[in-house]
Amino acid sequence: MTVDVQVPTAVGLLSAAAAAGATVVLSGHVQPDADALGSTLALAEGLRRCGARVVATFPEPFVLPQSLRWLPGADRLVHPGTVPADADLFVSLDAASPGRLGALAGLLESAGRSIVVDHHASNPGFGDVPVVDPHAAATVVLVADLLEGLGVDLDGQLATCLYAGLAADTGSFRFGNTDPGTHELAARLLRTGIDHAAISQRLFDTAPFGWLGLLSAVTGRAVLEPDVGAGLVLTWSTAAEAREHGLAPDQLEALVDVVRATAEADVAAVLKGADDGSWVVSMRSRGATDVARVAMALGGGGHRAAAGYSSRLDREGTIAQLRAELAR
């Protein structure tokens, strides 16, 4: 998509809302990751310091992953059912499409104005003021720009939220979306005195013992299909299986980053089954395949190297559909 980064316009709207003590609702996408949540919490705190009345939330299911509950300000998130529909300003963060906002997507119409802050290449452009840059390594990069425009000084609380999102979406600065600006922002955040090692340990290197059993089961059923597209490695799990190992279903999110290490496949895919029978497919590419194109063709979105979508087909039907699209 075309880059549409209206940072000055967005800063003007946010500044005016804060000066007026207006109500600003902020939301990340459904089942928020570190970038969505870090972006929401950092901007929420910044706006509070400017005088805005802030309501920060995310769509149902309103359950925070264990790995993110420690982020500063997470305890101030409110249930989406309590959010006022007539807010003065609504800010969507890290949602590639209105559908990723669940029932909160209605705020795009019912709120006085709306700002969309996002970095997904598949974002079609929505909301009154799009702050959308697919070249940004993470949505927290754009939030850092907004905070700077608002005159909010970075401190340990804000930097922790921003660094969590930056580290997560760059794979600890290993992914191809890492550029000089990424490291420059990281350096700014580190200068506040945050404990980056502790943040990374909580994000990437801490899991219940049951994770090992789940990992064994899921990797044990992985299949390699070198003739599908540029090569596909595929496996699956379900929320029920996660619970059998004493884990919350959100623990399934990390599986694709294990499977992606397969050298013989350009695309890694993990199917994650929900209790209602639907599947969420997470994909990663080693570079030859644009998985955002695949995801968009199947109703989802994302980036060239990392994307996903949802399927109402059964497991075999979902796999067959994925194989067919990768073969195009």
Side-chain angles (χ1 to χ4, degrees):
M1 67 162 292
T2 302
V3 177
D4 197 346
V5 190
Q6 298 187 34
V7 171
T9 304
V11 168
L13 272 178
L14 293 169
S15 295
T23 299
V24 183
V25 174
L26 292 87
S27 176
H29 56 67
V30 65
Q31 296 179 332
D33 55 11
D35 191 23
L37 193 61
S39 295
T40 301
L41 296 178
L43 187 57
E45 177 60 22
L47 288 171
R48 289 189 187 103
R49 295 178 187 182
C50 293
R53 297 174 57 199
V54 176
V55 179
T57 187
F58 60 88
E60 293 268 27
F62 189 65
V63 180
L64 266 182
Q66 187 68 41
S67 61
L68 299 176
R69 293 178 186 176
W70 57 273
L71 282 172
D75 59 336
R76 301 185 71 174
L77 291 165
V78 302
H79 191 280
T82 67
V83 171
D86 59 349
D88 300 295
L89 181 61
F90 174 56
V91 185
S92 164
L93 295 134
D94 202 42
S97 66
R100 293 285 283 158
L101 293 168
L104 292 172
L107 286 165
L108 292 165
E109 300 297 332
S110 65
R113 298 293 299 277
S114 62
I115 300 171
V116 173
V117 187
D118 186 37
H119 73 125
H120 291 92
S122 61
N123 191 306
F126 62 98
D128 297 325
V129 179
V131 181
V132 179
D133 184 0
H135 302 303
T139 296
V140 292
V141 174
L142 302 171
V143 170
D145 290 341
L146 293 174
L147 291 172
E148 183 175 16
L150 290 167
V152 176
D153 293 330
L154 295 181
D155 60 9
Q157 178 178 349
L158 297 174
T160 295
C161 294
L162 296 174
Y163 189 88
L166 192 64
D169 263 32
T170 60
S172 294
F173 310 99
R174 294 180 292 114
F175 297 164
N177 59 349
T178 303
D179 61 19
T182 310
H183 287 294
E184 288 164 3
L185 175 57
R188 285 177 55 202
L189 301 176
L190 291 176
R191 279 194 286 270
T192 66
I194 59 173
D195 187 342
H196 66 93
I199 294 171
S200 295
Q201 184 180 59
R202 281 172 153 167
L203 289 176
F204 309 118
D205 299 326
T206 301
F209 180 73
W211 165 252
L212 297 180
L214 176 68
L215 191 60
S216 175
V218 174
T219 56
R221 67 172 69 107
V223 293
L224 177 64
E225 303 186 15
D227 297 328
V228 175
L232 169 67
V233 60
L234 174 77
T235 190
W236 59 271
S237 186
T238 64
E241 184 176 45
R243 288 192 292 268
E244 288 172 5
H245 290 273
L247 303 172
D250 63 72
Q251 293 281 345
L252 301 178
E253 299 300 319
L255 291 170
V256 71
D257 288 319
V258 175
V259 180
R260 68 180 297 166
T262 304
E264 297 90 343
D266 185 60
V267 174
V270 173
L271 280 68
K272 297 165 291 185
D275 293 329
D276 65 0
S278 65
W279 294 87
V280 172
V281 182
S282 293
M283 297 180 290
R284 299 291 185 269
S285 170
R286 297 177 72 86
T289 306
D290 181 355
V291 290
R293 179 201 65 78
V294 176
M296 290 175 70
L298 298 174
H303 307 284
R304 178 180 177 85
Y309 64 96
S310 298
S311 171
R312 300 297 305 184
L313 301 175
D314 62 18
R315 188 177 76 236
E316 289 307 316
T318 299
I319 292 172
Q321 186 183 57
L322 174 60
R323 287 191 187 112
E325 193 58 42
L326 285 169
R328 291 184 189 276

